[in-house]
Amino acid sequence: MNPIELRRLRTQSVLKQLIPEALASLEDELLRGLCVTDVECKRGRYDAFVYLDKNAFDEREQEFVLEKLGRVARYLQNFCAEAEGWYRCPAFHFKFDDRLEYQNKMDDLFDKIEEELRKNG
């Protein structure tokens, strides 16, 4: 693995730990309770996509949460940069994580296919 990729993976891992700490330091009860499922750095660590668990929110609530996160993103970035002694922190882009939902749909689909094959086989 090359050193650039290693740095990117390390940054992702550190942010996955620090962002929940930063959220917990906020006074906003809603944001303090958010669960970070993953962090993915892109563009040479200039951008970090922060994936959140969406199970507790409907679509309207998700939009509201993302709006609030947009207002505190700079604080969260500064928190992470200070904690790690970084000169700058990646720009955070918050998203609700659809990957688990997608995986469950795929698993269901494969189960149905397997069931059909057993019936016909």
Side-chain angles (χ1 to χ4, degrees):
M1 189 174 296
N2 69 28
I4 293 171
E5 179 69 9
L6 204 55
R7 260 195 321 269
R8 186 181 67 80
L9 292 173
R10 183 184 180 288
T11 301
Q12 287 178 179
S13 176
V14 167
L15 288 175
K16 196 171 178 182
Q17 293 173 358
L18 285 177
I19 293 170
E21 285 179 35
L23 288 169
S25 73
L26 296 172
E27 290 183 16
D28 188 316
E29 196 67 35
L30 179 66
L31 297 182
R32 284 183 8 195
L34 291 175
C35 177
V36 175
T37 59
D38 200 11
V39 176
E40 198 174 286
C41 291
K42 305 247 174 140
R43 291 189 341 115
R45 297 185 308 159
Y46 287 107
D47 292 303
F49 291 86
V50 181
Y51 294 94
L52 306 165
D53 184 14
K54 72 176 199 170
N55 289 336
F57 306 103
D58 64 28
E59 255 180 69
R60 205 176 88 251
E61 291 169 330
Q62 288 176 28
E63 288 176 28
F64 180 68
V65 168
L66 291 176
E67 194 176 295
K68 283 183 144 201
L69 285 168
R71 288 193 291 258
V72 298
R74 177 66 63 196
Y75 166 80
L76 299 173
Q77 288 171 253
N78 289 338
F79 181 98
C80 294
E82 276 183 35
E84 280 299 297
W86 292 339
Y87 173 71
R88 64 178 298 283
C89 185
F92 294 153
H93 305 279
F94 295 96
K95 295 179 169 190
F96 280 94
D97 197 349
D98 291 329
R99 295 176 297 181
L100 182 61
E101 194 174 285
Y102 176 78
Q103 183 63 45
N104 289 339
K105 285 182 183 176
M106 292 302 291
D107 288 344
D108 289 345
L109 191 59
F110 284 123
D111 288 344
K112 287 179 184 175
I113 291 170
E114 187 178 340
E115 193 175 303
E116 283 296 316
L117 288 173
R118 272 190 294 206
K119 282 182 188 175
N120 295 332

